[in-house]
Amino acid sequence: MQVGVLALQGGFAEHIRLLQQLGVQTRLVRLPSDLDHLSGLIIPGGESTVMGKLALASGLMEPLRVFAHQHAVWGSCAGAIFMARNVDHAQPVLGLMDIAVERNAFGRQAASFQQALDISRLAPRVDTTLAFPGIFIRAPKIQPLAQSVKVLAELPDGSVVAVRQGKWLATAFHPELTDDARWHDYFLADCRN
Ligand code: GLN
């Protein structure tokens, strides 16, 4: 099994590091042909407006949509915005998931925060005894727009910060900036199926 990480900009190296730690073969995705024979794709955090422009310029928009309709795809932060159907800002997005996102909903870079997240909804795929250290950097708020979107994690105030829809996963925070591989582990189960 080989898992790709979209490497146009942003935190792709951190996702690669965690995947390799889990013994998974990885590939940087910069061109449509880089998607060939992958079992899944991670879209990293970064700046979703820039990511969208670069994806357009690289001819990746349609190939990414085609790939996503057959495979597991996970977007973290900017990646989640890039996967959303509704964004509160005009910018190129894949428009895959039935979610609305409000960009920078928790404030600017200086308002970044860490929050222990209850991830018990990831059981039994991963050990959920301990909370997950959620790192939020100019994170979006996520609003599900369809019944098929399942909420996986929320902040104590009820803000939705992780969802899945079929084999698509979106997290407003950055598991790749921790040494805790449970979200990666969870996603890999969808890549294998
Ligand atoms: N606010 C950024 C955006 O809109 C995302 C920030 C991040 O990925 N950490 O793309």
Side-chain angles (χ1 to χ4, degrees):
M1 178 169 87
Q2 196 168 22
V3 174
V5 182
L6 188 64
L8 298 174
Q9 67 97 224
F12 54 87
E14 289 78 5
H15 277 290
I16 296 275
R17 174 189 64 90
L18 260 190
L19 290 171
Q20 287 178 346
Q21 223 167 282
L22 292 169
V24 178
Q25 288 200 39
T26 59
R27 190 191 301 159
L28 298 177
V29 172
R30 295 195 166 113
L31 299 169
S33 59
D34 294 331
L35 293 166
D36 292 349
H37 311 298
L38 290 178
S39 299
L41 177 75
I42 297 178
I43 305 178
E47 184 53 51
S48 58
T49 51
V50 179
M51 206 179 286
K53 276 185 201 153
L54 294 175
L56 270 179
S58 318
L60 268 165
M61 295 298 275
E62 207 43 39
L64 284 171
R65 290 189 184 109
V66 171
F67 180 87
H69 279 102
Q70 292 149 355
H71 298 92
V73 180
W74 169 19
S76 58
C77 203
I81 296 166
F82 195 44
M83 288 175 75
R85 176 150 71 78
N86 278 15
V87 182
D88 64 340
H89 179 257
Q91 61 186 77
V93 291
L94 295 174
L96 293 167
M97 293 184 82
D98 291 317
I99 55 175
V101 294
E102 182 191 341
R103 292 177 64 207
N104 307 324
F106 302 99
R108 306 163 72 97
Q109 190 90 5
S112 300
F113 62 98
Q114 186 161 338
Q115 170 71 49
L117 297 173
D118 173 0
I119 56 163
S120 48
R121 281 172 253 181
L122 301 195
R125 275 197 203 173
V126 298
D127 183 351
T128 61
T129 321
L130 295 177
F132 189 88
I135 297 177
F136 294 82
I137 305 167
R138 295 193 304 121
K141 267 187 199 172
I142 300 174
Q143 192 194 327
L145 297 175
Q147 289 273 322
S148 52
V149 177
K150 306 292 176 212
V151 174
L152 294 179
E154 290 158 317
L155 293 179
D157 72 359
S159 302
V160 174
V161 292
V163 292
R164 65 171 293 144
Q165 184 178 26
K167 289 173 119 190
W168 298 334
L169 180 63
T171 58
F173 50 96
H174 293 273
E176 76 281 10
L177 297 182
T178 72
D179 281 319
D180 191 325
R182 286 179 291 169
W183 284 89
H184 289 78
D185 245 341
Y186 178 83
F187 175 67
L188 290 173
D190 283 317
C191 297
R192 284 188 197 99
N193 281 326

